[in-house]
Amino acid sequence: LTDLSRQVGKTGRYVLVNIPAAQIEAIENGQVASRHSGVVGKQDRQTPILRSAIHELNFNPVWHVPPTVIEKDLVPKGQQMSRANQDVLAKYKIDAYDGSGKKLDSSRIDWNSPSSRNLTFKQQPGPENPMGFVKVNFANAHSVYMHDTPSDSLFGRNFRAASSGCVRVQGIDKFVAWLMAPEGCTLERVHGLKKSGERFDARLKKPVPLYFAYITAWATEDGVVQFRRDLYDKDGVGQIASTY
């Protein structure tokens, strides 16, 4: 936490994601400009601790299904539904492509074959796209990003570790407008892109520093100490307690 304070203390404008709190804060001049509930990774698909910078936003993006989701979700679901003569790709409006980029007939895919894991899967923009209407990109070695979601009910949970490692952001339209404010973008413009469904990619002229941190206890300015669940057992409390 001390190292994090030292890093961000030099930065006037940055984003802090506290993984155990499932919370995103947009910070400007030492003050919280906007705070958002989030959804973070499950125990077996953890959101990584990282330092990067947000450089690009994809509005109404195509979802490129990541390898972890293909392996752990899509293929098992495809196997299950094929036994009932159902087409998982048709149900979720996902397209499959071979190594040459040719679109395949989804009904002819053999989900029990290892080759199914080597296909490319994409879902076009729309109400069922798990990216929602905007994806927030930053360089990292974990293939994670931040994004909107059509599943708003998840934000109402006390325990919000339910993703595959990426971070979902509640009220992301306000967050995105803050990111793009130096570019002259307004909340109205963001709402317009959401309503229109227009595919649009925006690169930030000045990337915004981003920190994914793991903080389970901290004090607020009023002297209240906040505690959050040690989602990924990183604090080592379990090992200490077991010695007594």
Side-chain angles (χ1 to χ4, degrees), residues 24-132:
I24 300 96
E25 292 180 334
I27 312 292
E28 192 160 8
N29 299 321
Q31 301 294 319
V32 178
S34 65
R35 180 179 287 118
H36 307 262
S37 295
V39 174
V40 297
K42 306 172 185 177
Q43 174 69 38
D44 62 340
R45 305 187 204 180
Q46 299 179 9
T47 296
I49 297 170
L50 58 83
R51 177 182 179 182
S52 187
I54 296 169
H55 66 274
E56 183 185 52
L57 305 170
N58 305 135
F59 290 91
N60 303 299
V62 173
W63 182 41
H64 296 257
V65 184
T68 301
V69 175
I70 293 172
E71 179 70 28
K72 296 187 176 182
D73 298 310
L74 185 59
V75 169
K77 190 69 173 178
Q79 292 171 341
Q80 176 191 343
M81 291 184 65
S82 65
R83 288 193 289 270
N85 294 318
Q86 297 176 336
D87 186 340
V88 64
L89 299 184
K91 179 177 180 178
Y92 293 102
K93 298 181 174 62
I94 296 174
D95 298 321
Y97 301 84
D98 65 16
S100 66
K102 178 184 176 183
K103 186 177 177 180
L104 304 176
D105 180 348
S106 61
S107 66
R108 299 178 65 86
I109 294 174
D110 180 3
W111 292 104
N112 293 307
S113 169
S115 63
S116 64
R117 291 163 171 79
N118 298 322
L119 301 176
T120 297
F121 298 93
K122 301 178 185 179
Q123 187 179 47
Q124 297 302 312
E128 295 183 7
N129 188 309
M131 296 293 95

Side-chain angles (χ1 to χ4, degrees), residues 115-237:
S115 63
S116 64
R117 291 163 171 79
N118 298 322
L119 301 176
T120 297
F121 298 93
K122 301 178 185 179
Q123 187 179 47
Q124 297 302 312
E128 295 183 7
N129 188 309
M131 296 293 95
F133 88 98
V134 64
K135 175 174 176 268
V136 180
N137 294 322
F138 45 92
N140 68 93
H142 310 277
S143 300
V144 296
Y145 40 83
M146 302 167 73
H147 63 95
D148 181 32
T149 176
S151 306
D152 285 341
S153 61
L154 288 170
F155 295 116
R157 299 179 181 177
N158 289 327
F159 182 64
R160 298 194 301 277
S163 81
S164 291
C166 294
V167 176
R168 306 173 194 174
V169 184
Q170 186 178 37
I172 198 170
D173 46 355
K174 183 179 179 182
F175 176 63
V176 166
W178 178 84
L179 287 171
M180 297 182 65
E183 321 278 329
C185 182
T186 64
L187 185 59
E188 289 71 25
R189 168 61 171 156
V190 173
H191 286 162
L193 286 166
K194 182 177 182 179
K195 185 176 181 180
S196 70
E198 173 191 352
R199 275 285 300 115
F200 178 69
D201 297 327
R203 292 192 66 86
L204 300 182
K205 293 178 183 177
K206 185 176 181 180
V208 178
L210 171 68
Y211 304 88
F212 277 22
Y214 195 90
I215 307 169
T216 54
W218 70 95
T220 54
E221 291 183 355
D222 57 5
V224 176
V225 179
Q226 301 280 336
F227 295 96
R228 293 297 184 272
R229 180 174 176 177
D230 183 10
L231 296 178
Y232 306 149
D233 300 319
K234 289 186 178 293
D235 287 347
V237 175

